[in-house]
Amino acid sequence: MIRAFIALPLPAEIRSQLAVTQFLLPLPRPVPPANMHVTLAFLGEVPEAVLEEADTAFAALRAAPLTLSVSGLGVFGGEKPRNVHASLAPSPALDHLQGRIVQAARRAGIRVAGRRFVPHVTLGRMSPGQVGAHELAKAFGEIGAVASPPFTVAEFALYRSILRADGPVYDVLAEYPLGG
Ligand code: 2AM
């Protein structure tokens, strides 16, 4: 079994910009900038043969490169925050590609949760309640508007996640060019 997910890699400039933002936030477990990504589909623990079939389906998807931008900060977990992230500006092209990826994964036999897609880059994780919602809201207010210039993403990728005590380790298993 391989714990896997599909995500968009981010340009180094954007990861550096978000690394600066991380320093201004109370984040018990910040995501190392090298690990920052936009998850499109969390595949979970998948048998290797199934992942190979999904890989073929992902490789057959054709889509244009995406133009994206960071457009704010957000929290998952409400009053008991567990995830602090940078939000992406709405992109119908991204939503469309994400839907096709989920469809391809399901056709290959992977059970992908039917959650609404909220495009984001996780900046840090925390145990629920470890950092107060109020404390985060205050930090957001002090930081002010967080926005990036538009950037292009010309591939999506299949990642393996290995869970370690000091945080997950990600490896790129396959890359799928957009617009190639
Ligand atoms: P997150 O950034 O919002 O936490 C690899 O674990 C990626 O898959 C993470 O970026 C994570 O999103 C996402 N993911 C979605 N559902 C997940 C789950 N049930 N367990 C672990 N990661 C999940």
Side-chain angles (χ1 to χ4, degrees):
M1 296 284 242
I2 297 178
R3 185 181 173 86
F5 63 97
I6 294 284
L8 298 176
L10 289 171
E13 311 86 77
I14 300 300
R15 288 185 280 112
S16 300
Q17 183 186 340
L18 294 176
V20 175
T21 306
Q22 282 182 312
F23 276 107
L24 305 172
L25 290 164
L27 298 178
R29 279 185 278 136
V31 172
N35 279 357
M36 289 176 181
H37 60 268
V38 180
T39 304
L40 302 183
F42 180 70
L43 306 179
E45 302 277 345
V46 182
E48 221 162 309
V50 173
L51 203 56
E52 270 172 32
E53 193 171 329
D55 167 63
T56 305
F58 298 143
L61 293 176
R62 293 284 167 264
L66 298 162
T67 302
L68 303 172
S69 59
V70 168
S71 72
L73 294 173
V75 174
F76 293 143
E79 282 305 302
K80 293 194 168 171
R82 56 183 161 72
N83 172 304
V84 174
H85 56 265
S87 310
L88 295 189
S91 162
L94 173 60
D95 292 349
H96 185 65
L97 177 64
Q98 190 268 347
R100 289 170 66 207
I101 288 170
V102 168
Q103 195 178 40
R106 287 186 177 145
R107 281 201 191 128
I110 299 173
R111 268 194 225 153
V112 183
R115 280 193 218 166
R116 191 168 69 92
F117 176 52
V118 182
H120 66 278
V121 182
T122 296
L123 300 179
R125 299 189 176 87
M126 58 225 35
S127 310
Q130 195 178 4
V131 179
H134 183 74
E135 190 187 339
L136 275 173
K138 189 161 162 266
F140 285 7
E142 281 163 8
I143 292 171
V146 170
S148 77
F151 57 91
T152 303
V153 176
E155 70 198 357
F156 66 96
L158 173 64
Y159 293 81
R160 174 174 63 179
S161 168
I162 297 172
L163 299 179
R164 297 251 179 90
D166 54 351
V169 175
Y170 302 143
D171 297 312
V172 174
L173 298 182
E175 287 176 322
Y176 311 100
L178 297 171

